[in-house]
Amino acid sequence: MNTAIDLLGDTIRAARMKKGYTQEAFAEMLDITPVHLANIEGSRRKPSVPLLFQMMELLDFSVDALVFSEDHGTPVLHLDGLNDRQIEAVIRLVESIKM
C-alpha cells in the first residue's frame, strides 16, 4: 500500500519525466544534489515547503496535485524552515483547496 509520501515522490518523478528533465538537470534547476532529488522521488526524504513550491513552479503543477494524493489520503507537508506567518498561509491555502 502506497503512503502519501510515496505518492508525492512518484508524482514528482512522473512530472519531471513528462517535462523531459533528467534528475541531474532538474536537481541543478532546484540547486540541490541529484542524490537529494533521487531520495525525494524514491520517498526516502520529504521536500521542504519552499522546495516543494519551487518544484511546483518548474513542473507547472497546481498545489492540489502535489499536496493531495490520488486517494485523497493525508496531505504531506514538511514545514521546517517556515516562519509562523508562512505556515498559517500554507494552512489557509490547503483549507481553501479542500472546500
Side-chain angles (χ1 to χ4, degrees):
M1 176 181 225
N2 285 340
T3 64
I5 191 63
D6 292 332
L7 294 173
L8 179 62
D10 292 343
T11 301
I12 292 168
R13 178 185 302 109
R16 173 186 58 77
M17 294 175 73
K18 183 176 179 181
K19 291 287 260 184
Y21 300 144
T22 63
Q23 274 189 336
E24 292 77 16
F26 192 50
E28 187 173 325
M29 290 177 198
L30 297 167
D31 197 27
I32 62 174
T33 66
V35 170
H36 185 62
L37 179 59
N39 284 331
I40 291 169
E41 290 183 354
S43 304
R44 292 177 295 280
R45 300 279 311 224
K46 294 181 262 183
S48 65
V49 171
L51 181 59
L52 185 62
F53 283 130
Q54 189 178 6
M55 288 177 171
M56 287 177 0
E57 184 177 324
L58 291 170
L59 297 174
D60 298 323
F61 253 98
S62 62
V63 173
D64 58 339
L66 283 179
V67 175
F68 299 106
S69 66
E70 289 178 4
D71 65 357
H72 302 289
T74 305
V76 177
L77 290 176
H78 185 69
L79 301 174
D80 290 351
L82 296 180
N83 63 38
D84 290 340
R85 190 179 63 128
Q86 292 169 323
I87 291 171
E88 287 177 32
V90 169
I91 291 169
R92 283 193 311 270
L93 179 63
V94 169
E95 289 301 316
S96 70
I97 291 170
K98 289 172 32 177
M99 295 181 158

